[in-house]
Amino acid sequence: MSAAVAAAGLSSFALLYAPQPVLPQLASAFRLDPGTASLAIGVATASLAIAVLPLAALAEVVGRRRLIVWSVVVSALIGLSLPLAPSFPVLLVMRAVQGVAIAGFAGVAAAYLADLVGAGRLAGAVGAMIAGNSVGGMLGRLGTGFAAEPLGWHGALLVVAGVSLLCALFTVLTLPHSERPPAPAYGEGPAVPSPAHGERSVGGGGRGRRFQPRQGR
């Protein structure tokens, strides 16, 4: 479970920050000034921030696991499509949609973990998620930066998106379902109906015997 959530975080945040090292190349390719080129990052982060709360509410209807799965898959597929953008406005629209998709994971992952592991193991699970987010942001920048020189910005973004898609598929295959019945408290047996009026039950653990009250002579 921790590996699945960490992979989802790695995929999401690698995609979010992947264009940052190639902003000069984007500016040159689309004939932009550096400030305009930086919108490739700003649009995605802004749309993520705006979409977090609505998607967290949507998760209460469709389920948190389902939203996380769709989030990582859709954001990776958009990442594979970014190098095909014919113009910078189209690329910005794609980045905005990608930010919304990433918000599906960012907005519900902590609540999903709380449902699944409970308070006792929540700190470790959230730590794995944060580690995945941090490593993803770093690898997204480094991977794009190292691949940009031999492959250009198109190939660099494609490489990062391909790795992110592999992480997303790992998440889809291994992320456990959070919908499970709560476990009974320690020492409690299964619930039994209350005794009828005039009866008393003895014994513990739900296997008590019922006795009719003795009649007075």
Side-chain angles (χ1 to χ4, degrees), residues 17-141:
Y17 293 107
Q20 189 168 359
V22 296
L23 291 179
Q25 295 188 25
L26 290 176
S28 176
F30 294 110
R31 299 179 180 180
L32 307 169
D33 60 86
T36 304
S38 66
L39 288 175
I41 299 295
V43 164
T45 54
S47 62
L48 187 156
I50 294 171
V52 162
L53 291 180
L55 288 179
L58 178 64
E60 301 298 327
V61 178
V62 303
R64 295 189 178 104
R65 183 188 185 277
R66 181 176 298 178
L67 188 62
I68 292 174
V69 166
W70 278 103
S71 169
V72 295
V73 171
V74 171
S75 58
L77 292 178
I78 294 175
L80 291 174
S81 304
L82 281 179
L84 304 177
S87 64
F88 191 66
V90 173
L91 186 142
L92 290 183
V93 171
M94 296 172 71
R95 285 286 290 168
V97 176
Q98 189 177 46
V100 173
I102 294 172
F105 166 76
V108 305
Y112 165 83
L113 291 173
D115 283 348
L116 192 64
V117 303
R121 296 167 55 196
L122 182 59
V126 172
M129 179 189 72
I130 295 174
N133 297 351
S134 303
V135 172
M138 179 185 67
L139 290 182
R141 295 180 179 98

Side-chain angles (χ1 to χ4, degrees), residues 95-198:
R95 285 286 290 168
V97 176
Q98 189 177 46
V100 173
I102 294 172
F105 166 76
V108 305
Y112 165 83
L113 291 173
D115 283 348
L116 192 64
V117 303
R121 296 167 55 196
L122 182 59
V126 172
M129 179 189 72
I130 295 174
N133 297 351
S134 303
V135 172
M138 179 185 67
L139 290 182
R141 295 180 179 98
L142 291 178
T144 306
F146 282 117
E149 186 172 352
L151 301 176
W153 72 269
H154 298 85
L157 293 181
L158 193 63
V159 167
V160 173
V163 174
S164 297
L165 182 60
L166 292 177
C167 293
L169 293 177
F170 177 81
T171 299
V172 171
L173 294 175
T174 59
L175 192 69
H177 289 271
S178 60
E179 292 80 13
R180 64 176 185 176
Y186 178 76
E188 289 185 1
V192 295
S194 300
H197 180 69

